[in-house]
């Protein structure tokens, strides 16, 4: 009956306890003989299994860490590559694909146009630089996020805490590298955009004005010569107005790169004005200072100082009292200097570059200084730094003196070498200025200047103006490279050349310039001079006279 009832109720059948099973002994109340303890403490099969299991875990943890680190590093080198080996592989392939497409486009641009031209094609477009800043910042954030996601998804779930911390530290370093690099790239793009906008802010030249740059393999195919007017301005907190103490025309043959530097004497009188100059209303003779020769920069009652270097300030003063004389987008001083120089040298000035002398010094410092063959003054005396000539014809206020010979000059000393004239005259100062300009052109190293880029950009933004259009930058960089590979010659407009600054013959000046920029003829080999009766084998070459006690004449650098 009970059996039947149990089946009817479907009750579970409970087996009786195993008579051989005993509960484990209480470790507190159980004592084990010393002999028994010593016999059971030796490792047995269970202990060996545990050791093998732990060793296997260590190998698995190490392999998991290595894989996670490797994929994270791969994602650092190539965005998205590490992520393709995780469960977010689709996202990884998208990031990797975009990266490869961008790299392919960049490589194509570099291979077809060159590194410099490709970079400048971006630099020359401020609006493109603005976009580049945003793209670099956003892509840098995506890159960093892909690195973190790769590390998270590549980490084994069972990785121990110590190795997890190692992976986290490695990932942090990789993110810092990419994030810092992206920040710097975006910063450089922003600095470039700001600098290009500031320096190359002049209105686009009108038809027939400025250098003609064309598209194609040779951007100078339609222009055989480019003429640049380089102005060194002494405008400073302790100076009244702007005086162009340094005026050099750089005439460059676009085919060969051969450059001729024409130094303009700052004290030229009766400079011819441009044909449509508003100053003709004051100087109807067409010459600055005739017949009105008081000049705005002179003190009341002072006459005779209407020099070329004063023309800039004269135009600015005239424009202030005649607001409608010049167009709104024209700087009167630059326009008048440009027009006058064109009339003096007989060349069309394609573009003007103005640099404040303080910026000139900073630029040379950023280059690391210049190697210059320093000469004594034209009189043979030591060349002073600073100083003025007093009524008794003595020099006062000298800071120090240059020592002659080849030496390394910083920006401050290079500037003073180009400006000093208290011990001789403007003629010798012009020669020193040409030597400093030549040293800059020959010694500048674009690759080394990259490291100084933020500083150079700041110097350019604050101290340099030019009317060269930004889109013409690639062509001008190529022109500078051609000039570096070629010779630099000079045209001097001094009394020795028959040019008297107080009564200049401008027709003669234009002839000197035309001769100076002409293609040089091949020179015959120097002939030896002998005295009748002498042994021809002992003939000696006549040495060129040197007007200075230095190793080279002032006509050479």
């Amino acid at each position: 009956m009970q059996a039947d009832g149990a089946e009817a109720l479907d009750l579970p059948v409970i087996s009786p306890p195993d008579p051989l099973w005993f509960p484990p002994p209480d470790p507190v109340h159980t004592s084990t003989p010393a002999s028994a303890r010593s016999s059971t403490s030796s490792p047995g099969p269970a202990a060996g299994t545990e050791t093998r299991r732990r060793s296997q875990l260590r190998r698995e943890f190490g392999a998991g860490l290595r894989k996670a680190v490797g994929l994270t590093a791969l994602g650092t080198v190539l965005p998205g590559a590490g992520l393709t080996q995780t469960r977010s592989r689709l996202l990884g392939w998208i990031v990797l694909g975009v990266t490869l497409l961008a790299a392919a486009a960049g490589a194509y641009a570099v291979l077809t146009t060159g590194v410099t031209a490709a970079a400048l094609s971006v630099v020359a477009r401020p609006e493109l630089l603005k976009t580049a800043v945003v793209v670099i910042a956003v892509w840098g954030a995506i890159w960093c996020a892909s690195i973190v996601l790769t590390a998270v998804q590549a980490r084994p779930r069972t990785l121990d805490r110590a190795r997890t911390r190692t992976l986290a530290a490695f990932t942090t370093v990789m993110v810092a590298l990419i994030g810092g690099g992206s920040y710097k790239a975006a910063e450089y793009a922003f600095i470039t955009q700001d600098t290009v906008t500031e320096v190359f802010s002049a209105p686009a030249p009108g038809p027939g004005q400025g250098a003609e740059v064309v598209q194609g393999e040779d951007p100078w195919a339609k222009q055989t010569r480019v003429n640049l007017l380089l102005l060194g301005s002494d405008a400073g907190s302790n100076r009244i107005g702007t005086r162009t103490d340094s005026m050099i025309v750089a005439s460059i043959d676009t085919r060969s790169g051969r450059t001729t530097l024409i130094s303009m004497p700052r004290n030229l009188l009766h400079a011819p004005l441009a044909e449509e100059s508003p100053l003709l209303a004051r100087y109807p003779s067409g010459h600055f200072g005739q017949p009105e020769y008081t000049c705005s920069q002179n003190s009341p009652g002072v006459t005779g100082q209407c020099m070329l270097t004063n023309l800039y300030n004269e135009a600015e003063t005239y424009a202030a009292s005649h607001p409608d004389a010049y167009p709104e987008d024209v700087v009167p001083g630059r326009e008048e200097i440009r027009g006058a120089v064109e009339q003096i040298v007989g060349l069309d000035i394609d573009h003007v570059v103005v640099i404040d002398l303080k910026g000139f010094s900073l630029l040379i410092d950023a280059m690391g200084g210049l190697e210059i063959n320093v000469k004594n003054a034209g009189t043979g005396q030591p060349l002073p730094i600073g100083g003025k000539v007093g009524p008794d014809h003595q020099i006062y206020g000298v800071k120090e003196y240059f020592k002659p010979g080849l030496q390394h000059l910083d920006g401050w000393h290079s500037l003073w070498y180009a400006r000093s004239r208290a011990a001789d005259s403007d003629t010798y100062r012009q020669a020193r200025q040409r030597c400093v300009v030549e040293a800059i052109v020959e010694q500048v190293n674009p690759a080394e200047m990259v490291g100084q880029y933020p500083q150079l950009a700041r110097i350019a933004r604050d101290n340099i103006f030019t009317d060269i259009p930004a889109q013409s930058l690639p062509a001008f960089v190529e022109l500078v490279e051609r000039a570096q590979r070629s010779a630099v010659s000079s045209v001097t407009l001094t009394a020795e050349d028959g040019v008297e600054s107080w009564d200049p013959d401008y027709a003669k000046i234009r002839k000197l310039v035309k001769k100076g920029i002409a293609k040089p003829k091949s020179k015959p080999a120097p002939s030896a001079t002998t005295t009748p009766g002498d042994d021809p084998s002992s003939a000696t070459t006549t040495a060129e006279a040197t007007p200075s006690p230095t190793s080279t004449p002032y006509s050479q650098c």
Side-chain angles (χ1 to χ4, degrees):
M1 293 291 294
Q2 292 179 353
D4 294 339
E7 291 179 0
L9 294 175
D10 195 21
L11 295 175
V13 178
I14 299 176
S15 303
D18 188 350
L20 299 177
W21 179 86
F22 295 95
D26 187 350
V28 178
H29 303 286
T30 304
S31 60
T32 304
S35 59
R37 287 200 303 269
S38 61
S39 62
T40 57
S41 61
S42 60
T49 302
E50 180 66 19
T51 300
R52 288 192 297 274
R53 191 175 70 86
R54 290 179 178 178
S55 177
Q56 182 179 359
L57 284 176
R58 281 196 298 268
R59 288 195 297 271
E60 291 176 356
F61 288 163
L65 176 63
R66 288 191 296 272
K67 179 180 178 181
V69 168
L71 292 178
T72 304
L74 181 61
T76 303
V77 176
L78 197 58
L83 207 58
T84 60
Q85 305 303 310
T86 68
R87 61 178 180 273
S88 298
R89 58 178 57 88
L90 178 59
L91 178 61
W93 282 114
I94 292 175
V95 174
L96 180 60
V98 172
T99 301
L100 294 177
L101 285 175
Y108 176 79
V110 169
L111 291 174
T112 53
T113 63
V115 177
T116 302
L120 287 174
S121 65
V122 178
V123 171
R125 297 174 176 82
E127 69 284 352
L128 192 58
L129 284 170
K130 288 183 180 179
T131 304
V133 172
V134 177
V135 170
I136 291 171
V138 171
W139 191 249
I142 293 174
W143 195 344
C144 290
S146 71
I147 294 173
V148 174
L149 186 59
T150 300
V152 170
Q153 295 197 358
R155 180 182 67 87
R157 295 181 180 275
T158 58
L159 197 64
D160 62 315
R161 180 176 299 177
R163 290 177 175 82
T164 298
R165 289 176 177 174
T166 300
L167 178 60
F170 178 79
T171 304
T172 301
V173 172
M174 296 298 101
V175 170
L177 288 175
I178 299 303
S182 300
Y183 173 81
K184 271 298 178 185
E187 181 186 32
Y188 274 36
F190 178 79
I191 291 174
T192 304
Q193 183 268 329
D194 183 49
T195 303
V196 170
T197 302
E198 282 288 326
V199 176
F200 302 92
S201 58
Q209 298 178 347
E212 185 176 3
V213 176
V214 297
Q215 300 295 325
E217 184 177 350
D218 183 5
W220 301 106
K222 291 188 176 182
Q223 184 152 347
T224 58
R225 182 167 293 277
V226 172
N227 302 308
L228 305 176
L229 176 58
L230 313 177
L231 299 177
S233 166
D234 70 348
S237 58
N238 62 337
R239 305 300 293 266
I240 299 175
T242 299
R243 275 166 284 200
T244 50
D245 274 3
S246 174
M247 294 167 281
I248 298 176
V249 176
S251 186
I252 309 171
D253 186 312
T254 60
R255 301 292 183 270
S256 64
R258 187 175 57 84
T259 302
T260 303
L261 300 178
I262 309 164
S263 296
M264 308 299 302
R266 63 183 292 278
N267 57 347
L268 274 179
L269 296 181
H270 317 312
L273 300 173
E275 294 181 357
E276 299 180 357
S277 168
L279 288 180
L280 291 174
R282 176 172 288 180
Y283 307 104
S285 68
H287 291 265
F288 179 38
Q290 291 180 333
E292 170 66 55
Y293 56 91
T294 56
C295 303
S296 63
Q297 75 280 351
N298 292 333
S299 302
V302 177
T303 60
Q305 292 298 311
C306 299
M307 299 184 296
L308 180 61
T309 187
N310 305 125
L311 181 56
Y312 193 111
N313 193 48
E314 175 76 12
E316 295 294 326
T317 303
Y318 185 81
S321 58
H322 300 78
D324 299 329
Y326 295 89
E328 293 184 1
D329 58 350
V330 167
V331 176
R334 285 199 300 263
E335 193 69 12
E336 290 294 349
I337 287 287
R338 178 181 193 153
V341 170
E342 285 183 335
Q343 298 297 316
I344 293 170
V345 300
L347 299 173
D348 291 331
I349 300 298
D350 296 300
H351 294 289
V352 178
V353 179
V354 184
I355 179 170
D356 183 78
L357 295 182
K358 179 182 178 182
F360 180 83
S361 175
L362 294 173
L363 175 64
I364 294 175
D365 280 334
M367 289 177 58
L370 294 175
E371 294 288 335
I372 295 178
N373 185 22
V374 175
K375 302 179 179 67
N376 282 331
T379 59
Q381 301 299 316
L383 186 68
I385 296 177
K388 292 184 178 180
V389 179
D392 57 355
H393 303 291
Q394 298 296 317
I395 303 175
Y396 297 94
V398 175
K399 303 178 186 296
E400 59 180 288
Y401 289 91
F402 283 103
K403 294 181 180 180
L406 183 64
Q407 54 194 279
H408 191 85
L409 300 183
D410 60 14
W412 189 82
H413 286 89
S414 297
L415 176 59
W416 267 113
Y417 186 68
R419 297 196 69 190
S420 180
R421 65 186 176 96
D424 41 33
S425 65
D426 280 317
T427 297
Y428 292 102
R429 181 165 79 159
Q430 291 172 28
R432 291 189 286 269
Q433 289 176 350
R434 289 193 301 272
C435 288
V436 172
V437 172
E438 285 186 35
I440 292 174
V441 173
E442 293 173 356
Q443 298 175 31
V444 65
N445 188 326
E448 293 181 359
M449 299 294 274
V450 171
Q452 303 289 334
Y453 183 71
Q455 179 183 356
L456 290 171
R458 185 167 56 252
I459 294 170
R461 184 187 59 202
D462 297 339
N463 299 283
I464 297 177
F465 164 85
T466 182
D467 58 359
I468 297 175
Q471 59 268 25
S472 298
L473 278 177
F476 274 91
V477 169
E478 182 171 337
L479 186 62
V480 170
E481 291 175 346
R482 295 180 187 180
Q484 287 183 314
R485 295 191 297 265
S486 188
V488 178
S489 60
S490 301
V491 173
T492 58
L493 306 177
T494 65
E496 288 77 6
D497 303 302
V499 178
E500 300 172 339
S501 61
W502 60 91
D503 187 20
D505 183 345
Y506 288 109
K508 184 172 185 176
I509 289 176
R510 287 188 282 271
K511 288 181 180 178
L512 290 173
V513 171
K514 185 177 181 180
K515 179 181 179 181
I517 66 175
K519 185 177 180 180
K521 298 179 180 179
S522 57
K523 296 181 179 180
S527 59
T529 59
T530 60
T531 303
D534 289 346
D535 183 358
S537 63
S538 62
T540 56
T541 302
T542 303
E544 182 180 356
T546 302
S548 167
T550 53
S551 58
T552 57
Y554 259 95
S555 60
Q556 301 176 17
C557 293

